[in-house]
């Protein structure tokens, strides 16, 4: 009953994808365990170097013979504005003090050419290592990159937050489109529409996208159990991509403080912020978000702000202090559990089968 | 298959409630036709005088013998700040000029005591006329009001945007709770949580609420067809409340310009604004919203701002000019159709039965 065009295309048993969370969450163990349990494990490689990527791919191949995937960030040009950086550091310095960090004068501000070169290298590794599935966030790669990957028989998945973005993904040749509802944790994937316009809830987003594209649609955002899977299927999706639900699993590499923060959070504590990275993202409200809130819109672009807050996030994590970490979470923290990947997937399928939808 | 505790309680055939949209949308014909078609028609009486309410209830009783309901706004205290009113008028005056309206010096600013007295009168009429179902937005009425209505055997429905608000509704004695997802058109119903925290999508909101209350949960926001109904049921709701889907029906009293704006809108044109009324609400982006955006957060509270913009909204409607009307809409305008209520309800039930969910 749960087999469809999407599971066939990805050669997986269940229509469940583990969201490619960046920043160390998607350990080889997590990715392999998801694939071994019948879902699709994904490496969140957005911030990884080509060397790290190759190493992790090879590790995962040792742990599973099932398909797995990888996600890359499509580089977008960004502004580097001296005054924004100054302002940001003025606000960040008192926070650094609280964490006993040195104030920063100079920064290695990323530049677009470097970011783009890393992306090109990342793509090369994905091809050389024959990763069967590659997904993209923050945009659509160039025609040339898409052609190369398709030539190598790699299944491509794009990310969309509106109908327009989904249609663009289909036109560009993506095999599958992941629609990210406003419920989703972590970074917003919008790349055409503005932030407000792209905050569409899945109840609205899935059917409108399904009516306007012919490739399989995967829903992402706030889905944690069999109820969310079956609701997505009713709305026309072929499967789900789940982040937060996997983040709190035993096999995930998320910091223990992050896992516990989600397990203890309520729905009304999850907010949007651009203070950590310069890009809008959803997570648990903490001191950092509250202190940055007033100036949120004046902060530097992604990835500049991300670079500026790096020391703070890192030191906060080392000190087990949840107040200055980016505690990404979708809007359903009350449904999160600390369990193994296997038991998560089994319980989703069990619940879905109890709902007994004859489609 | 679609009968449950909620349809039993409300004595209706299908688990479909027509949202009580205020401002002239819920004509007697619309309300009666929904109830005659097996759903629950609702009068959006928030802005109506007790005399208007009594007249409409009596009209509807002539048109249907099935149950119908009424919705009232729970009055909340508000600030009247001279400088905010001045600022708002400074921005509104150029718009008035475009519409050939006189500039305004004085205003009849509403005061809380008057608003509260009207509410008390509204409740009296509901009881005297024996309306079988009464729902509330923007808060929970006092214990005394709830006790009186329950004494009269009136079924009570509250509105919630978060788990916390849903729990408060149950504790107060509401028989049913309508959960309003971030997808919903028109005014946000949050009354405890702030605006950002309460913008929870239905995929997250329904299951988290269902897990925390024992009264039936109705989902509202972006639901337009059988897919949305069945998805809601998968997530644990007992039924749906639909606004935009009924607003574009032939029987609705919405302005033709408003109906056409929805029928022509895309998902990425629907935004949140507090510029029309002082309370956050969702509708189609137009000139008014764009011109007010910069100062949005500095505008007076509801209902003060609502009073200030009254002449503009009215004149814009009279001139068939959609640019300065409040074009409320949920996030699924692409799914809207111009059809009769009967055919909308029939097609929802037909689609839902095709999905064939054995629950």
């Amino acid at each position: 009953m749960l087999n469809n065009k999407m599971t066939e295309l990805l050669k997986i048993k269940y229509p469940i994808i583990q969201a490619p969370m960046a920043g160390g969450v998607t350990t080889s163990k997590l990715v392999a365990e998801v694939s071994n349990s019948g879902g699709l494990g994904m490496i969140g490689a957005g911030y990884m170097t080509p060397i790290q990527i190759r190493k992790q791919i090879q590790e995962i191949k040792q742990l599973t013979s099932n398909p797995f995937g990888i996600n890359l960030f499509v580089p977008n040009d960004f502004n580097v504005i001296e005054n924004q950086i100054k302002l940001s550091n003025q606000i960040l310095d008192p926070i650094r003090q609280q964490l006993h960090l040195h104030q920063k004068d100079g920064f290695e501000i990323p530049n677009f050419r470097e970011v783009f070169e890393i992306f090109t290298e990342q793509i090369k590794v994905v091809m050389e290592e024959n990763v069967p599935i590659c997904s993209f966030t923050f945009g659509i790669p160039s025609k040339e990159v898409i052609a190369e990957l398709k030539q190598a028989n790699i299944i491509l998945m794009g990310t969309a937050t509106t109908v327009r973005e989904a249609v663009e993904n289909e036109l560009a040749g993506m095999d599958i489109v992941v629609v990210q509802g406003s419920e989703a944790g972590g970074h917003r994937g919008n790349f055409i529409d503005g932030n407000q316009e792209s905050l569409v809830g899945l109840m609205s987003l899935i059917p409108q996208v399904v009516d306007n594209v012919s490739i399989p649609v995967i829903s992402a955002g706030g889905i944690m159990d069999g109820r969310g899977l079956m609701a997505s299927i009713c709305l026309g999706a072929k499967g789900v991509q789940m982040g937060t639900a996997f983040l709190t699993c035993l096999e995930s590499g998320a910091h223990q403080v992050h896992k516990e923060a989600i397990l203890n959070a309520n729905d009304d504590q999850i907010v949007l912020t651009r203070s950590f990275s310069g890009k809008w993202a959803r997570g648990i409200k903490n001191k950092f978000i509250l202190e940055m809130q007033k100036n949120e819109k004046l902060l530097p672009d992604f990835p500049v702000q991300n670079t500026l807050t790096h020391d703070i996030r890192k030191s906060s994590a080392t000190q087990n202090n949840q107040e200055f970490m980016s505690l990404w979470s979708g809007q359903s923290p009350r449904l999160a559990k600390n369990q193994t990947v296997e038991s998560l997937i089994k319980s989703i399928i069990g619940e879905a089968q109890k709902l007994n939808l004859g489609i």
Side-chain angles (χ1 to χ4, degrees), chain A residues 17-27 30-31 40-48 69-73 133-138 157 159 178 185-187 220 240-244 246-247 328:
Chain A
I17 300 175
Q18 162 249 310
M21 296 162 277
V25 179
T26 62
T27 57
L30 176 72
V31 175
L40 184 74
M42 298 275 296
I43 307 171
Y47 299 124
M48 287 165 71
I70 190 166
N71 175 269
L72 300 176
F73 294 165
I133 294 125
C134 184
S135 80
F136 298 97
T137 323
F138 307 145
M157 304 200 292
T159 307
V178 178
H187 283 105
V240 294
Q241 179 172 292
M242 307 186 351
T244 312
F246 284 108
L247 190 149
W328 303 144

Side-chain angles (χ1 to χ4, degrees), chain A residues 290-307:
Chain A
L290 288 170
E291 288 186 13
M292 304 293 283
Q293 209 159 31
K294 226 175 45 198
N295 298 291
E296 190 161 52
K297 286 176 185 171
L298 308 169
L299 298 172
D301 281 1
F302 180 89
V304 180
Q305 178 70 2
N306 200 50
T307 311

Side-chain angles (χ1 to χ4, degrees), chain A residues 33-71:
Chain A
E33 195 54 27
V34 175
S35 290
N36 284 332
S37 303
L40 184 74
M42 298 275 296
I43 307 171
Y47 299 124
M48 287 165 71
T49 65
I51 292 169
Q52 290 171 320
I53 290 177
R54 193 185 303 272
K55 188 167 162 269
Q56 184 163 18
I57 294 169
Q58 290 172 352
E59 244 175 49
I60 293 169
K61 282 178 183 167
Q62 298 299 311
L63 298 171
T64 184
S65 54
N66 289 345
F68 63 94
I70 190 166
N71 175 269

Side-chain angles (χ1 to χ4, degrees), chain A residues 95-168:
Chain A
I95 295 175
R96 291 196 178 100
Q97 245 169 359
Q98 292 184 57
L99 291 165
H100 311 291
L101 282 166
H102 292 294
Q103 311 221 342
K104 291 243 168 169
D105 308 316
F107 277 96
E108 275 195 54
I109 297 302
N111 81 60
F112 180 67
R113 237 194 39 213
E114 276 169 27
V115 173
F116 192 79
E117 273 165 23
I118 294 171
F119 178 69
T120 308
E121 286 299 308
Q122 289 174 325
I123 293 281
K124 224 176 111 190
V125 176
V126 170
M127 306 237 302
E128 285 169 2
E129 294 291 333
N130 263 314
V131 181
I133 294 125
C134 184
S135 80
F136 298 97
T137 323
F138 307 145
I140 300 172
S142 69
K143 275 183 194 172
E144 294 69 31
V145 169
I146 291 176
E148 259 188 315
L149 289 163
K150 281 175 106 66
Q151 186 71 27
N153 287 320
I154 296 174
I155 302 285
L156 304 184
M157 304 200 292
T159 307
T161 62
T162 59
V163 171
R164 206 149 59 110
E165 290 180 350
V167 168
E168 287 301 317

